[in-house]
Amino acid sequence: MSRTALRICPLCEATCGLTLTVEDDLVTGARGDRDDVFSKGFICPKGASFGQLDADPDRLTRPLVRRDGRLEEASWDEAFAAVAAALRPLIDAHGPESVAVVLGNPNVHTVAGALYPRMLLRALGTPNLYTASTVDQMPKHVSSGLLFGDPDAIPVPDLDRTGHLLLLGANPLESNGSLCTAPDFPGRLRALRRRGGRLTVVDPRRTRTAKLADEHLAIRPGTDALLLAALVQVLFAEGLVALDGLENQVTGVAEVRDATAEFTPEAVSAACELPADRIRALARDLAAAPAAAVYGRLGNSTVEFGTLTNWLVDVVNILTGNLDRPGGVMFPLSATGRAPRPAGPGRGFTLGRRHSRVSGHPEAKGEFPLAALAEEIDTPGDGRVRAAVVIAANPVLSAPDGRRLDEALAGLDFMISVDPYLNETSRHAHVVLPPPRPSQNPHFDYALNALAVRNQARYTREAVPLAEERPAESEILARLILCASGRAGADPAGVDAMVIDTVLGKATADPHSPVHGRETAELAARLAGRDGAERRLDLMLRLGPYGDGFGARPDGLSLEKLLAHPHGIDLGPLEPRLGQVLNTRSGRVELYPEPIAADLPRLRRSLDSTPGELVLVGRRHLRSNNSWMHNLPALRGGSNRCTLQVHPSDAARLGLADGAAARVKGEGGELEAPVEVTDAVRSGVVSLPHGWGHDRPGTRLSVAADEPGVNVNQLLDGTRLDPLSGTAVLNGFPVRVEPAG
Ligand SMILES: Nc1nc2c(c(=O)[nH]1)N[C@H]1C(S)=C(S)[C@@H](COP(=O)(O)OP(=O)(O)OC[C@H]3O[C@@H](n4cnc5c(=O)[nH]c(N)nc54)[C@H](O)[C@@H]3O)O[C@H]1N2
Ligand SMILES: Nc1nc2c(c(=O)[nH]1)N[C@H]1C(S)=C(S)[C@@H](COP(=O)(O)OP(=O)(O)OC[C@H]3O[C@@H](n4cnc5c(=O)[nH]c(N)nc54)[C@H](O)[C@@H]3O)O[C@H]1N2
Ligand code: SF4
Ligand SMILES: [Mo]
């Protein structure tokens, strides 16, 4: 018997609503849900392969426990017993800092990843947190922390209303967007052009997104900060700065003018390899547009000047009056976010409250650089990392110098992986705890709704029921928390009950809360939901900005209401709300923060460095997902290959032939990859995708291993970081390329 079920897609940040066809407990089809209030039927090839992903025979169905050096299938009780037997004793013997927590990308796509990791860290008591953020968007968090006082206050381009979108280092036609949740990003860009708006794309490659643009600037990698500084210089020099109502909410404008005075278009032109007149024209266009949005993503983040670049993106938005204005960049208001409160000075944001043990890297947002994980494990001494809890991460492929990390992980006393696959990273675990198939997960976008171009709320329960003995990922993580706090046998529901109690305790004591003065136990008893995770969702919805406030606003949101609207509830376009967001000590936007000022001389020095060497950038393919979807036959092959793209002029100069192998040498190692000669990449730049290199023994990825590709991150040694955020430089690093053999 075939039936349909709704499921929000967890495979990228676009959060499309899917309609799954289910036969027995098999997903046999997936199409876009035309009634979804946000995605309106959009789907991409990854979403369409949902059934194949769900049914992948290589997916683990039972836990694995290492016995006599070998990973063997075990029962869930045996697996958690193995965790309990190792974890607490290790902490007691070597201290909490001996355990590292490693969180990977899919944690922003699971309910469990949103609800439990913070408690796990607290239970472990360790300061050693490493996440995908430091190979991704940490520069944005740091920039937002410094500008707005809140590292999570990330303004997103108001895609549907903007008149000019300047997009740097992003390729949403393949990635479907990031830090800008917008199902059907391609359609929204086409709509921008149709309504007479302008799209400018800055990218060293002529991407599918660049092909859609009115103007494509093929910048030299790593120099976007110079380009943006020149835009700022022109705005000031030509009297185009117009804060448009933000004047009283921004400090440091004159300081930014002085600090950027020397970055004229003529001064940066050689480094960026862009004509000065086009830079000047771009600044004028942005200033002239009724509303414009500047948006930079991965190619602006995982670069030498990541934080400066992200800061300058918002400096341009602010100086053109486009922050917090319809059509500019705006702050979404998520249904589970903090309810707005009166504006005023806040606590601000501080960097470097601790430093890493080996290289002394400053923490950012409570994290150390993922690039430094290997050295924290393999460098002897007090406070060495001896154990790791790895949740939804494959850093052996996704972090710099995978080989060193691979060896380091092999030397750990104890390692847990919560992962559906036995892959390059989880193969080192002592216990592997596999979460259910995606069709068996409930879904709510805690993280991504706060980055969405339209306010909305959607919740889907699992499409296929979970077998009796199989724990949901929420329960897996709750049980890990219990193991970490020495209460291994306790009821995992107690973990959620404790959180609910704490949150309600604070809310009932808060004079701004709709439940101020009420009884905690009475409110807890009124929570709907089948399990702890759902009750926590209900709690957050009801106390959130659109919530029913437990009766205070009877038509407000609750879990019950969301369940009654299976295609979601639209909460309207983004609205100006800067005052609610600001959490700086001054209570204003601090346009020229001290750490930024201290890093600017480094940018100035880069003006004098003469380009010339070959640099490497990455790329994403529509049918890829970082390191973990090469195992699906439907997504492989065609143009989704691990090739080194080289411009024809470079190929001729270096003696590289299309299809022949090239040897690529970086600071951290070398590799060989087949050459693809194409003018889609500009001269002086080669491109190799990430997430490949599936040829290590001891994994269970039978399809991926067929055509393993090479790991681009092997070219790095882990020392090239954006200093303010600890983010690895994965784009625009020097390489040498020669014919192999
Ligand atoms: N050179 C280079 N390196 C890069 C990048 C680049 O552009 N270039 N991109 C960087 C970026 S942006 C990111 S975000 C990182 C990503 O790197 P990681 O954070 O390591 O993420 P993935 O490679 O996506 O691996 C995800 C892991 O989660 C597992 N998984 C999948 N679904 C689930 C689930 O539901 N639950 C659990 N528990 N596990 C699950 C997968 O099997 C896989 O092991 O890579 C970074 N590395
Ligand atoms: N299909 C697919 N979708 C994905 C993913 C995936 O692996 N596959 N991964 C997901 C994840 S984790 C993330 S974070 C997002 C990322 O989403 P995006 O930010 O859109 O990332 P990319 O597609 O890597 O695009 C980055 C672009 O920056 C360019 N670039 C490199 N260096 C520079 C530079 O110095 N300056 C400029 N201006 N451009 C530069 C590259 O050529 C590339 O086109 O995608 C998500 N969506
Ligand atoms: S665009 Fe992203 S969310 Fe939408 S179907 Fe594709 S992978 Fe899923
Ligand atoms: Mo990412």
Side-chain angles (χ1 to χ4, degrees), residues 11-13 46 105 109 136-137 167-172 174-178 202-205 207 217 219-224 295 297-300 303 616-627 687 690 731-732:
L11 299 176
C12 88
E13 297 182 41
K46 278 192 291 185
N105 170 275
H109 302 284
D136 187 348
Q137 84 289 357
L167 209 148
L168 308 105
N171 184 14
E174 309 264 6
S175 70
N176 275 299
S178 180
V202 179
D203 197 305
R205 297 185 308 118
T207 60
L217 299 173
I219 195 169
R220 171 143 185 105
T223 64
D224 297 63
Y295 162 76
R297 220 11 219 118
L298 209 71
N300 270 191
V303 290
L616 187 143
V617 300
R619 67 177 188 268
R620 280 171 163 76
H621 192 282
L622 187 59
R623 286 180 285 118
S624 72
N625 198 0
N626 297 327
S627 75
S687 170
H690 73 288
N731 279 294

Side-chain angles (χ1 to χ4, degrees), residues 88-299:
R88 263 332 301 179
L90 199 130
I91 294 173
D92 293 340
H94 300 288
E97 66 279 11
S98 64
V99 185
V101 172
V102 184
L103 304 175
N105 170 275
N107 283 298
V108 299
H109 302 284
T110 64
V111 165
L115 296 184
Y116 300 90
R118 203 178 313 167
M119 266 188 295
L120 177 64
L121 276 165
R122 214 171 303 142
L124 290 166
T126 178
N128 272 315
L129 173 63
Y130 304 83
T131 85
S133 295
T134 52
V135 284
D136 187 348
Q137 84 289 357
M138 189 60 93
K140 190 84 217 169
H141 290 303
V142 171
S143 154
S144 277
L146 296 171
L147 282 166
F148 311 123
D150 177 355
D152 292 318
I154 294 178
V156 304
D158 187 12
L159 279 191
D160 299 339
R161 292 182 289 186
T162 194
H164 187 165
L165 180 65
L166 167 59
L167 209 148
L168 308 105
N171 184 14
L173 261 75
E174 309 264 6
S175 70
N176 275 299
S178 180
L179 298 190
C180 176
T181 285
D184 195 11
F185 212 124
R188 289 172 203 264
L189 292 184
R190 287 186 195 104
L192 160 72
R193 305 241 10 237
R194 265 202 311 276
R195 66 175 179 265
R198 197 174 163 79
L199 175 65
T200 305
V201 171
V202 179
D203 197 305
R205 297 185 308 118
R206 193 173 66 252
T207 60
R208 286 168 68 156
T209 310
K211 284 182 193 155
L212 202 70
D214 296 275
E215 183 173 22
H216 170 214
L217 299 173
I219 195 169
R220 171 143 185 105
T223 64
D224 297 63
L226 293 173
L227 166 65
L228 290 158
L231 296 181
V232 172
Q233 192 276 336
V234 175
L235 292 175
F236 279 113
E238 302 195 359
L240 299 172
V241 170
L243 272 69
D244 280 359
L246 291 179
E247 291 81 359
N248 296 326
Q249 293 196 78
V250 182
T251 66
V253 175
E255 288 84 345
V256 170
R257 180 196 59 213
D258 296 346
T260 51
E262 70 195 87
F263 296 98
T264 61
E266 289 70 22
V268 305
S269 170
C272 299
E273 296 184 358
L274 294 174
D277 56 344
R278 286 174 81 183
I279 300 175
R280 187 162 274 113
L282 180 57
R284 291 173 183 163
D285 279 351
L286 287 172
V294 185
Y295 162 76
R297 220 11 219 118
L298 209 71

Side-chain angles (χ1 to χ4, degrees), residues 382-403:
D382 268 1
R384 182 173 79 82
V385 168
R386 295 162 182 271
V389 184
V390 181
I391 305 172
N394 190 8
V396 168
L397 295 190
S398 52
D401 199 356
R403 192 171 304 141

